Amino acid sequence: RVPVIKTIENFLKKVPQESLQNLMIEFFRSLHQSKFFTAHPQLLSNQSFHLAGDAVHTHTFSSPHYENSKGENCCPFCLKRVHNKGKENEKTTWIHCDLVFSFVFPEGLKIPFHVYPIHSKQLSRLAAEASDDAVKQECELIALKNCLPLMKQKLSRLPITILLDGLYASRPVMRAILEAGFGFAIVRKEGSFKSIQEDCDGIALLENHKKNNH
């Protein structure tokens, strides 16, 4: 099995990104049209497809890998990172980040659907010195906003629930998702959004809620 997996990996590395994007979309579409999910209803939760996005750090460069005539880094996907700024051990690196949208199913099954490479001009100027977590969050917000039109075009006829973390818990994000025709589920980490926790705890005590949820 290992040689087969390696062969597939090597093949995918040689496929142009646009072709790879189309391949992932067509693969999912083929599964759906062949009634694969109808034959395996246990894969769907509440008759909805769950789509999750996660930022993936793909490359790190210690020096510019694509330079112009002035020796400046001109790779459109290199995100500049400055470490220990102002100190003797200050160091600059450049990274590539993609946001990968995948359909997620029970038992750990994932089917990649779309990969969105983050463009350096899309990040704020402060991102170069921000923490890794802050950069990851900014990449995720940018990618979701820019990918919603594509997902609406390709998935408009399917019941889709987009899985999000607390980063996306804002009115503009939720409005954009609903306008695209999708549902969403946001995970609340312990200790965050305390007022929402209090509201939910209060609802759980209502007799009508207890009656309809037992």
Side-chain angles (χ1 to χ4, degrees):
R1 293 178 58 187
V2 174
V4 174
I5 294 175
K6 288 297 182 182
T7 300
I8 295 174
E9 290 177 346
N10 292 334
F11 166 74
L12 292 177
K13 289 178 181 178
K14 297 177 182 179
V15 177
Q17 187 174 59
E18 184 176 353
S19 298
L20 182 58
Q21 299 283 27
N22 293 333
L23 179 63
M24 289 187 291
I25 293 173
E26 289 304 318
F27 176 69
F28 175 78
R29 182 178 296 171
S30 177
L31 286 176
H32 184 257
Q33 291 178 344
S34 66
K35 308 297 182 181
F36 174 81
F37 300 107
T38 302
H40 300 82
Q42 69 275 17
L43 292 177
L44 302 184
S45 299
N46 298 321
Q47 299 302 309
S48 178
F49 291 93
H50 286 178
L51 187 63
D54 190 29
V56 178
H57 173 189
T58 60
H59 297 85
T60 297
F61 302 95
S62 58
S63 60
H65 68 102
Y66 185 41
E67 300 178 338
N68 57 21
S69 59
K70 298 180 181 179
E72 301 170 332
N73 186 8
C74 57
C75 171
F77 302 108
C78 268
L79 312 181
K80 186 177 181 180
R81 309 289 292 121
V82 179
H83 309 273
N84 304 312
K85 185 175 177 60
K87 299 180 180 180
E88 292 184 1
N89 59 340
E90 179 178 323
K91 180 181 178 181
T92 299
T93 59
W94 290 263
I95 65 173
H96 285 198
C97 283
D98 296 338
L99 195 82
V100 181
F101 288 94
S102 302
F103 287 100
V104 294
F105 304 93
E107 305 300 329
L109 174 63
K110 294 182 180 180
I111 300 179
F113 178 76
H114 182 63
V115 177
Y116 181 84
I118 305 299
H119 198 292
S120 60
K121 292 183 178 180
Q122 294 173 324
L123 293 186
S124 67
R125 295 181 179 179
L126 300 177
E129 300 172 27
S131 67
D132 290 342
D133 285 342
V135 172
K136 182 176 183 291
Q137 291 177 355
E138 188 169 355
C139 289
E140 290 176 343
L141 284 170
I142 290 169
L144 178 63
K145 176 183 176 182
N146 291 332
C147 290
L148 275 176
L150 170 75
M151 292 190 288
K152 180 180 179 180
Q153 176 188 0
K154 300 295 183 180
L155 303 171
S156 60
R157 298 183 180 180
L158 295 179
I160 302 293
T161 299
I162 299 181
L163 307 182
L164 306 168
D165 58 29
L167 166 69
Y168 297 96
S170 68
R171 184 173 298 176
V173 170
M174 289 186 249
R175 182 184 295 118
I177 293 173
L178 293 175
E179 289 176 351
F182 304 137
F184 61 85
I186 297 178
V187 176
R188 186 189 69 84
K189 291 184 178 180
E190 188 68 30
S192 63
F193 303 110
K194 294 183 178 180
S195 61
I196 294 178
Q197 179 183 0
E198 293 172 357
D199 290 341
C200 292
D201 290 344
I203 292 174
L205 297 175
L206 297 176
E207 289 301 323
N208 191 50
H209 179 82
K210 293 178 180 179
K211 179 180 177 181
N212 295 321
N213 290 276
H214 288 284

